[in-house]
Amino acid sequence: MKKFLGISLIAATAAIAVGLSGCSSCSSKVRNTAALNANWYIVTGYNGMQTPFLEDEKSFERAVYSVTYSDATAANGSYSAEYEEGEYTTYFTGKTFDLSLLDESYREEYEEAQKDENGSARPMVLYYFQTELKIGVTFKRGDETVTFTGDDGNYMFTECYFRTTGEGLQPVYSAQKIVSYSPRAQQASNVNSAYEKVVLDIKTSYRFDEKQAIVVTSKDGGEPEKNEIRVGGDSFFDNNSLYVVARAMSLADGSSQSVTLFDSTKRQQGNYSITGGKASIGDESLKRISEIPEIKSALGTREITNDDGEKVTVQNELSYVCSEITYSGELRGTAQTVWYAGVTDSSRNTTRAVMLKRTEELPYALGALNYELKEITFANC
């Protein structure tokens, strides 16, 4: 069986200036070695939690993406999986973490780390990243078709809490709910054998030292199954924070960073490569995104002299960087290409390196999904 990236709904189930210190007081013993910047801030070099980024201050970033299907790379001669237009939403902020979410066997170390010199508990402020995806699909084999749409379509909700860039964006807790009709295999004998329905509810707690994780999984609404798993690595992250991690890198063309991602759907971790790529975002996508009111405002304008010698005001261009995300194992599987707004000025990063577009190749040569930004609300910093 091919190894797929466990970082999306389809892939995850195919294989079954004044700031707070954030979590500096609860530093774990393991340190990430990846070079990370808080590229979601206007001033990117701040390694802690900025007060204007906090949910309690009514500040957050919310991005909405259209999700469209492309059959340009589809080459499966047995069946097809055609996706209707869907929607993907992200929500990113700073938030006080509720320690009761953690598995009880891990809570004491965190509670002790959060005590001040008088033994009083201090709030544990972490980054909070949430995503939601809704998209319908139709499987076709010959004259047979089956469609899952609306409330009966694919759905994934994820949330994760992790430390600041000064603490390596190391994970503390994540959860996800998945209802997926995923391609089952390369070939199908009939349309009903082309897909597999998977219903998962997963909660993952990371031990304070980042060396173990407890995963509680409920499948198809059944009784929860609890597993404790050894985890960790030099650049270790929770799978659900991947797009924030890649955003924090904003890698230039040709540069590369190896990371270790823990995928709770498989209860295992894997090594991945995030590489600065050369792929173009596409003129049409760039034009549409540049016209989004918040992006247009963030870019601002400049004055130029036209061919007639007249001074005119034009909108500044939207720069971007490309990241290629691939599995580093023997069976590399499908890849993802992600475009982020470029950080051209680390002290005036008005477009905040927001994810602009993502292309995700589907398994079994079934085509690709394209995620394109259509709405954005920036945080207050």
Side-chain angles (χ1 to χ4, degrees), residues 277-333:
K278 297 181 179 180
S280 169
I281 197 171
D283 292 342
E284 292 183 3
S285 290
L286 186 62
K287 182 179 180 180
R288 282 192 297 266
I289 295 169
S290 297
E291 289 299 316
I292 295 171
E294 291 82 356
I295 295 293
K296 196 170 184 177
S297 176
L299 289 172
T301 59
R302 70 185 188 279
E303 193 175 77
I304 65 169
T305 301
N306 64 18
D307 294 340
D308 296 326
E310 300 173 326
K311 291 188 179 297
V312 294
T313 300
V314 297
Q315 180 177 320
N316 290 318
E317 297 176 353
L318 175 60
S319 67
Y320 61 85
V321 295
C322 172
S323 293
E324 303 282 350
I325 304 172
T326 55
Y327 176 63
S328 301
E330 181 180 355
L331 299 175
R332 303 183 75 86

Side-chain angles (χ1 to χ4, degrees), residues 6 18 26 44-45 49 60 87 93 138 175 184 267 288 292-293 297 349 359 366-367 375:
V18 176
C26 62
T44 67
M49 182 72 68
F60 56 85
E87 188 170 89
T93 190
T138 297
R184 185 193 294 268
R267 298 197 292 268
R288 282 192 297 266
I292 295 171
S297 176
N349 178 37
T359 294
L366 290 168
E375 296 176 27

Side-chain angles (χ1 to χ4, degrees), residues 153-169:
N154 292 297
Y155 175 80
M156 182 167 72
F157 172 88
T158 75
E159 60 179 349
C160 54
Y161 290 86
F162 46 93
R163 298 173 171 91
T164 61
T165 53
E167 295 296 329
L169 300 179

Side-chain angles (χ1 to χ4, degrees), residues 80-96:
S80 67
E82 299 174 6
Y83 292 82
E84 64 184 29
E85 183 169 347
E87 188 170 89
Y88 176 72
T89 304
T90 68
Y91 176 84
F92 188 30
T93 190
K95 196 171 182 178
T96 299

Side-chain angles (χ1 to χ4, degrees), residues 40 49 53-55 59-62 90-98 101 124-131 157-164 169 173-175 240-241 244 247:
W40 39 90
M49 182 72 68
F53 199 73
L54 295 175
E55 187 178 66
S59 181
F60 56 85
E61 177 188 280
R62 183 177 182 271
T90 68
Y91 176 84
F92 188 30
T93 190
K95 196 171 182 178
T96 299
F97 179 62
D98 181 358
L101 292 173
M124 183 176 180
V125 182
L126 301 171
Y127 283 127
Y128 175 75
F129 184 62
Q130 177 193 105
T131 74
F157 172 88
T158 75
E159 60 179 349
C160 54
Y161 290 86
F162 46 93
R163 298 173 171 91
T164 61
L169 300 179
Y173 174 84
S174 72
N240 294 316
S241 67
V244 176
R247 182 179 181 180

Side-chain angles (χ1 to χ4, degrees), residues 138-189:
T138 297
F139 292 93
K140 296 181 180 180
R141 188 185 184 281
D143 295 332
E144 299 178 298
T145 65
V146 60
T147 298
F148 304 99
T149 189
D151 292 340
D152 296 320
N154 292 297
Y155 175 80
M156 182 167 72
F157 172 88
T158 75
E159 60 179 349
C160 54
Y161 290 86
F162 46 93
R163 298 173 171 91
T164 61
T165 53
E167 295 296 329
L169 300 179
Q170 291 178 297
V172 173
Y173 174 84
S174 72
Q176 53 193 314
K177 296 179 184 293
I178 299 171
V179 179
S180 174
Y181 299 90
S182 297
R184 185 193 294 268
Q186 185 69 34
Q187 296 185 331
S189 57

